[in-house]
Each structure stands twice: as structure tokens, then as C-alpha cells.
Amino acid sequence: MSETATLILDSAERTARQGGFNSFSFRDIAAEIGIKSASVHYHFPTKEALGEALAERYTERFLAALGEPEAQAPQDMLRRYVALYGSALKEDGLMCLCGMFGAEIAHLPDGVARKTRAFFERNMAWLQAVYAADGLAEGAAFQRAAHMIATLEGAMILARSMGEDRLFDTVTYDLV
Amino acid sequence: MSETATLILDSAERTARQGGFNSFSFRDIAAEIGIKSASVHYHFPTKEALGEALAERYTERFLAALGEPEAQAPQDMLRRYVALYGSALKEDGLMCLCGMFGAEIAHLPDGVARKTRAFFERNMAWLQAVYAADGLAEGAAFQRAAHMIATLEGAMILARSMGEDRLFDTVTYDLV
DNA sequence: ATTTCCCTATCTACTGATAGGTAGATTTAT
DNA sequence: ATAAATCTACCTATCAGTAGATAGGGAAAT
């Protein structure tokens, strides 16, 4: 991937994680990185393609940061999972990209919706593996994984809505 | 409030609860209810005003549906709270309006952001009253209230993203 | 060596559609 | 007659997307 394509994704991701899929535009991206909007279309022909690339890169980075589900003790892996959401919110000051896309999934182009769903499926699989390693049965692991993702995504929304990032820690304090 | 104003809000709310603040437009609303977009502006001069009215009506209806926090036993009130989110998702097939606005709050007009925050503040107050009636100390009640809201908002996103509404019940099964 | 050719990446200039918003005339209801 | 509500007709700005030109860098052919 070219450096320009990376700059495009960086710009789009930051804006999308504040205002959703309709908040970034080819023009704004182009202006921010000092090229013309037609050149953005050269790298990503349609907005759907750009959105897919965004969700895909985000998912890959997210899972890479998590590592293998059995890398350490289950409790440590869960703490790492919570911390990854927390750093996204507190260090970057941004929502989870796929949480944002997930909220508006009914209005997204098909390809973007698919990639968004894939993020959650892969996160579910990762968490279920951790809970399974902790000795939980399949059904219980599934339930706990869904609860974990839901609580973290919701905690980001609540913290941002109330303008108080510490709320994220309040919600997640006894989650692991 | 006139009948037309109500129809405008109905149309805008349904669309906003699928795709967020940028997903509804004066033109689309007008076309849907059979008037011209200029007439929509007569009732709601700006999109900010329309967004504020949306969030305000949604909040009032939501709290009215909840009733007084001490109306019944705390466990019953909590079950009612969870059920209210569940019916919004499963019967209407829609996200929580203020959950949607909350996700994109950094890109919303000031007035809409304020009304969105007010929704969460009033929900927090209602839940804290329920938990206080259940004998919890102030800090614990605050923590449990924040956790409840976060989990429910996140459960809606997760269920919609994975295209499986039953996921909402999976997440909230042992929440009360 | 030079020329020809293609590829990458960008540009200018444009399209049709849509966004939110406004002025002023007209209709409708009291 | 008045006031509320809607209309026609328009504005400016922005949207995603396209066509065609251009510059520079190799690779291949002569």
C-alpha cells in the first residue's frame, strides 16, 4: 500500500470515528493531505471501497494488537481486551470505528456492512476462545463474549456522550 | 404541536435511528409525508432545531414509559428498563436514537449534543434512584447505572451488526 | 544510446444529484 | 381580515464520481 493510500485511510478513519460513515468526504480528505479529490478516487474508486478498506485495516490492527487468545492467562487476556478499547477512547479520543459503523449499519453500503459484521464475528471468536480456555462451556463463553463486547462499545458511547472519559473506567472496573 | 410537525418528527426519527444525524434530510422527510421541503423548514427552521426536537421528544417518551423509579420493586423497574430497550430494537427494528447520536456526538451541532447528553444524564439519575431504592450506596449505584446503560446501548449495536436480534437477549439475560 | 511505450500518480475541469436554507406569493382555516 | 401553513422558485455549497490531460519513471525495443 502506497504512502498516500495510508494517509487517506488515516484521515478518513479519524473523521469516521468521530462522526460516522457520512462524516468524511473525498474533498475533505484530499484537502487535509494536500492532494485533489480525484486523486483520492484513484486509490479508492468509490466510497464503499474506502469504507471497506477502513473497516478491514481497523479489524486487522485490532486483532493483531490482541494477539493469540491463549498467549497468556485468560484473565490477563481479558484485561488486555478491555485496555485496548480504553486506549482507543482515552489516548485517541475516538470511538471504535466498527462500533460507529455498527450503529449505522442499516444505512451502510453492503461491502462496508459486511466488513463491519466481520469485525464483530472475529472479536466474538477471539473472546470465546479466551473464555473457553478459562473453562467455560460453549454457551456460557458465547454469552460472556457478547456481554463483554456490548459493554465496551456502550461504555465508549456513554463516556463520550457525557463528556467524561473516566466513565469508561467506571463501567469496566469490575468487568474482568 | 401540529400534526404535520409530528409526522416530520416521526419520519426523521425512524431514519435517524437507522443511519444517524446525517442520514435524514429535509427533502426526504418532505417527500415521505407529501409536502415540500420548505414547509418542513417552517416547522423546524434548521436541522439543529429538528435534531433537538427529535432528541427531546425521544427522551420525554422514554422517561414517561419508564414511570417513577420507585413505582414498583427495584428488580421490576430494572426489568422494565431492559425491556424498553429490547422493544425498541425488536419491535421497531431500530437503534436507540440517543445511542446513535451519542456515538457521533463529536460531529453534532451544539444543541443536539446537549439534548443527547441530557438523555443520558436523566437515564443515569433514574437508574441511580432505582439502585438507591434497592439499598446500594451512592458510588455503587452510580457504577451499576453506568454499566446498565452501556451494556444496553452496546447490545443494540452488537445485535444489529451481527444481524441477530436474539443477541440482545443473550447479552441482557442475567443483567437484572 | 536513443526512442518508444506503458504505468503510476497526479492534475484540471466537469457532471448530476443532493444538502440545508431563504424570499415571497398563495392557500387555508378561524 | 387575519394568521397559520404551505407553496413555487430559487440560492449556494457540497456530495460522489468521471473524463481526459500531464508529468515522470522505468522497461523494452531499435
Side-chain angles (χ1 to χ4, degrees):
Chain A
M1 175 151 55
S2 74
E3 192 197 325
T4 300
T6 301
L7 291 174
I8 290 169
L9 290 176
D10 291 345
S11 169
E13 180 179 319
R14 188 169 32 74
T15 310
R17 288 174 63 186
Q18 288 178 2
F21 187 75
N22 288 319
S23 70
F24 62 92
S25 73
F26 284 79
R27 273 176 158 73
D28 289 347
I29 293 166
E32 187 177 323
I33 67 179
I35 59 176
K36 298 297 171 179
S37 73
S39 304
V40 180
H41 280 284
Y42 170 79
H43 294 278
F44 302 98
T46 65
K47 193 165 182 183
E48 176 167 13
L50 176 50
E52 286 182 48
L54 275 180
E56 195 161 346
R57 188 181 76 161
Y58 189 82
T59 302
E60 294 300 335
R61 284 182 175 177
F62 202 88
L63 284 152
L66 289 174
E68 290 303 312
E70 295 92 353
Q72 297 173 28
Q75 297 301 308
D76 291 331
M77 297 312 289
L78 293 175
R79 267 188 283 273
R80 186 188 295 188
Y81 193 78
V82 174
L84 191 54
Y85 277 82
S87 67
L89 180 72
K90 288 177 287 184
E91 289 166 24
D92 306 341
L94 301 171
M95 270 289 297
C96 166
L97 177 76
C98 292
M100 187 73 85
F101 282 179
E104 47 191 9
I105 198 162
H107 263 50
L108 292 182
D110 281 351
V112 186
R114 265 195 301 274
K115 298 284 186 189
T116 300
R117 182 188 294 208
F119 171 86
F120 287 106
E121 283 167 351
R122 293 180 64 182
N123 272 261
M124 282 292 291
W126 190 93
L127 280 169
Q128 285 176 263
V130 172
Y131 283 118
D134 202 26
L136 269 67
E138 195 178 335
F142 179 80
Q143 197 270 341
R144 293 281 286 275
H147 182 268
M148 173 66 79
I149 296 177
T151 305
L152 292 173
E153 293 289 354
M156 298 184 92
I157 290 179
L158 181 62
R160 285 179 67 80
S161 295
M162 305 214 21
E164 188 55 76
D165 282 356
R166 284 171 302 182
L167 254 181
F168 181 86
D169 298 319
T170 300
V171 171
T172 59
Y173 184 69
D174 56 5
L175 201 54
V176 177
Chain B
M1 176 151 54
S2 75
E3 192 196 327
T4 301
T6 301
L7 291 174
I8 290 168
L9 290 176
D10 291 345
S11 169
E13 180 178 319
R14 188 170 32 74
T15 309
R17 287 174 63 186
Q18 288 178 3
F21 187 75
N22 288 319
S23 70
F24 63 91
S25 73
F26 284 80
R27 274 176 161 72
D28 289 346
I29 294 167
E32 187 177 323
I33 68 179
I35 60 175
K36 300 295 173 180
S37 73
S39 305
V40 181
H41 280 284
Y42 170 78
H43 294 279
F44 302 97
T46 65
K47 193 165 182 183
E48 176 167 12
L50 176 50
E52 286 182 47
L54 276 180
E56 194 160 346
R57 187 182 74 161
Y58 189 82
T59 302
E60 294 299 336
R61 284 182 174 176
F62 202 88
L63 284 152
L66 289 174
E68 289 302 313
E70 293 92 353
Q72 296 172 29
Q75 298 300 308
D76 291 330
M77 297 312 289
L78 293 176
R79 268 188 282 272
R80 186 187 295 188
Y81 193 77
V82 173
L84 191 54
Y85 276 82
S87 67
L89 180 71
K90 288 177 286 184
E91 289 166 26
D92 307 341
L94 301 171
M95 270 288 298
C96 167
L97 178 75
C98 291
M100 187 71 84
F101 282 0
E104 48 191 8
I105 197 163
H107 265 49
L108 293 181
D110 281 352
V112 186
R114 265 195 301 275
K115 298 285 187 188
T116 301
R117 182 187 295 207
F119 171 86
F120 288 106
E121 284 167 351
R122 292 181 64 182
N123 272 263
M124 282 291 291
W126 190 92
L127 280 169
Q128 284 177 264
V130 173
Y131 284 117
D134 203 26
L136 269 68
E138 195 178 334
F142 180 82
Q143 198 270 342
R144 293 282 285 275
H147 183 268
M148 174 65 79
I149 296 176
T151 305
L152 292 173
E153 293 288 355
M156 299 184 92
I157 291 179
L158 181 62
R160 285 179 67 80
S161 295
M162 308 221 8
E164 190 54 78
D165 282 355
R166 284 171 303 182
L167 254 181
F168 182 86
D169 297 319
T170 301
V171 171
T172 59
Y173 183 69
D174 58 2
L175 201 55
V176 177

